[in-house]
């Protein structure tokens, strides 16, 4: 994902405009920091694990903003989404995010309510 959106041949600085300094650069810095903290957290340090979790939440927020920006840009050039590194999925209308997450995390059950 990071490699895809930093590819200057597909996404030059002019593409990002003002979002280069306010969105992309902070995301890249946080991504690098998360990578280092993630590897340190593998030894089991609770402090590193907590810092990793905070960084992951912040990265998700940046990625949500980047995805929104790319989605708007894709109205004119749909190939942007394919080159971005994001997985394309179809929205499931009528399912809230919480319901979708709970449904996906719950084990499958048969007609009698027994685990499948």
């Amino acid at each position: 994902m990071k490699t895809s959106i930093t590819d200057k041949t597909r996404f030059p600085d002019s593409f990002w405009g003002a979002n280069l300094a306010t969105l992309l650069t902070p995301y890249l810095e946080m991504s690098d920091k998360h990578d280092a903290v993630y590897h340190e957290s593998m030894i089991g340090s609770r402090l590193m694990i907590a810092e990793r979790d905070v960084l992951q939440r912040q990265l998700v927020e940046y990625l949500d903003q980047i995805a929104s920006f790319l989605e708007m840009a894709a109205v004119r050039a749909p190939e942007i989404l394919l080159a971005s590194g994001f997985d394309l999925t179809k929205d499931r209308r009528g399912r809230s995010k919480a319901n979708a997450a709970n449904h996906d995390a719950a084990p499958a059950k048969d007609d009698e309510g027994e685990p499948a």
Side-chain angles (χ1 to χ4, degrees):
M1 167 63 211
K2 180 180 166 184
T3 304
S4 297
I5 62 175
T6 56
D7 182 354
K8 299 291 184 188
T9 60
R10 294 181 182 193
F11 302 103
D13 290 345
S14 60
F15 170 81
W16 294 102
N19 290 313
L20 181 66
T22 61
L23 189 59
L24 186 63
T25 301
Y27 162 74
L28 295 175
E29 290 169 359
M30 188 165 298
S31 180
D32 291 340
K33 184 176 181 180
H34 174 267
D35 188 45
V37 170
Y38 175 81
H39 290 292
E40 287 181 38
S41 73
M42 298 300 281
I43 60 173
S45 165
R46 290 183 184 194
L47 181 62
M48 287 293 118
I49 292 170
E51 186 175 352
R52 177 198 66 197
D53 292 346
V54 168
L55 288 171
Q56 284 176 343
R57 284 191 296 275
Q58 292 171 338
L59 282 172
V60 168
E61 289 176 17
Y62 278 117
L63 287 170
D64 283 344
Q65 293 175 26
I66 290 170
S68 294
F69 174 75
L70 291 173
E71 198 171 39
M72 287 187 304
V75 169
R76 291 188 174 185
E79 67 276 1
I80 287 172
L81 290 179
L82 297 174
S84 70
F86 279 98
D87 289 333
L88 303 178
T89 60
K90 185 176 181 180
D91 285 340
R92 293 184 182 182
R93 302 289 178 202
R95 277 179 69 186
S96 70
K97 287 184 181 182
N99 286 341
N102 289 337
H103 175 62
D104 293 342
K109 295 185 179 181
D110 64 12
D111 293 337
E112 296 174 7
E114 296 293 321

